[in-house]
Amino acid sequence: MKSPRRRSREFALQAMYQWQLAQQSPHELEQQYKTAEGFDKADAALFKTIIVGVVQNADTLSTAMTPHLDRPWAEVSPVEKAVLLIAGYELIHMPETPYRVIINEAIELAKFFGGTDGHKYVNGVLDKLAAVNRSEEIAAPAPERRAAKRTPLKRH
């Protein structure tokens, strides 16, 4: 069973794919997707945070990822690009979500929506981005990571 946060990321992926093609505003995307089948089971606030954040920070996000790519940003497939933008936004702007959760969710999205080995590419890029943007979290001793997991957070 999918969590509301997983569903939000799935809808956000579809919205970001569409945004790449049609350049609709976050408001237009939100209005369209909130009436989509199954959206009532998604975390609407997370969906909105992601789509607004990605659109507002798209240039900065692509710049942050470029050093970790093996090809120009323009040559990354639209699905992988959407996954990377979403996860990149979360890694950089949502420190309350553990980096491992963000990367795992991105891999799952890439497996379901992307090409055959797209999830491997996404994983490699996000691991490198996390190393730059979440170095303290990554370097935390295991007991601190376990303690952080026990801290009540929104379900992911």
Side-chain angles (χ1 to χ4, degrees), residues 112-153:
F112 190 78
F113 291 99
T116 303
D117 287 331
H119 68 283
K120 294 176 186 176
Y121 186 70
V122 164
N123 185 32
V125 173
L126 294 177
D127 278 344
K128 293 172 187 168
L129 186 65
V132 172
N133 291 279
R134 298 284 190 104
S135 58
E136 289 181 21
E137 182 181 352
I138 293 168
E144 287 183 32
R145 284 197 301 261
R146 282 194 291 272
K149 288 181 184 177
R150 286 190 293 256
T151 303
L153 294 175

Side-chain angles (χ1 to χ4, degrees), residues 12-14 16-18 20-21 73 76-86 106 108-115 118-119 121-122:
L13 172 64
Q14 294 170 56
M16 292 300 89
Y17 181 88
Q18 185 174 331
Q20 291 176 70
L21 301 177
W73 180 248
V76 175
S77 81
V79 171
E80 290 171 357
K81 196 179 288 186
V83 172
L84 289 170
L85 286 168
I86 291 166
E108 293 302 317
L109 288 173
K111 282 181 180 178
F112 190 78
F113 291 99
H119 68 283
Y121 186 70
V122 164

Side-chain angles (χ1 to χ4, degrees), residues 85-98:
L85 286 168
I86 291 166
Y89 177 78
E90 288 192 74
L91 282 170
I92 294 169
H93 297 282
M94 298 178 70
E96 67 277 8
T97 306

Side-chain angles (χ1 to χ4, degrees), residues 1-7 10 41 112:
M1 182 175 243
K2 295 178 185 176
S3 74
R5 292 178 68 84
R6 165 74 57 89
R7 291 176 190 272
E10 288 178 352
K41 296 177 182 168
F112 190 78

